[in-house]
Amino acid sequence: MTDLPALTTRVGLGFDIHRLAEETGAELALSGLRLPVDLYAQAHSDGDVVLHALIDAILGALALGDIGEWFPDTDPAFRGADSTTLLHAVLSDDRLAGWRLAQVDCNIIAERPRLSDHKPAMRQRLATLCDLPLDRVGLKARSHEKVDATGQGQAIQAQVIVQLAPCQP
Ligand code: MG
């Protein structure tokens, strides 16, 4: 173990899923935006599956645990929390010292809402939140082919992979 070379990059993988509920006038928190789609994600926080998966990917890249350890859903402080605030808390934590996001890629899997019209804005918002140029941020959306609860429109999922790079001295 002692002859392992120092890492010049780190990668992390994140996943999240939340149930969807209908409510007239409701907004869905997704990729740091609020989409006016008469749906919301049932969650302790705002239920943003993209940002939750992103946070888990960052924590995974640095072997720093998971989002549930950092922001327990038993803690009233995080009830209804804006996930952009949680992301900023992670990105500014001292334990990330020396590393920064270098690349992000994301899959969103949902039967509803239709996301094609929202993809450019979600990708731009993700790039802004990650302080990355657009060509380092991938965002794809797809259905679940009517398979299982997500395919029946009862849930929304996200997968995120990140690459971290050392901060320039
Ligand atoms: Mg979540």
Side-chain angles (χ1 to χ4, degrees), residues 15-18 42-53 56 67 83:
F15 168 81
D16 196 27
I17 181 170
H18 282 284
Q42 295 180 324
H44 185 70
S45 68
D46 64 9
D48 188 324
V49 288
V50 171
L51 297 193
H52 292 182
D56 256 358
I67 189 171
S83 295

Side-chain angles (χ1 to χ4, degrees), residues 44-102:
H44 185 70
S45 68
D46 64 9
D48 188 324
V49 288
V50 171
L51 297 193
H52 292 182
L54 172 61
I55 288 169
D56 256 358
I58 296 166
L59 296 178
L62 291 160
L64 287 175
D66 62 41
I67 189 171
E69 297 169 27
W70 280 54
F71 309 108
D73 62 9
T74 52
D75 188 336
F78 304 123
R79 185 179 302 280
D82 181 335
S83 295
T84 62
T85 303
L86 307 184
L87 177 63
H88 284 308
V90 169
L91 290 175
S92 60
D93 191 273
D94 287 345
R95 285 169 285 182
L96 269 71
W99 295 93
R100 60 155 297 158
L101 279 167

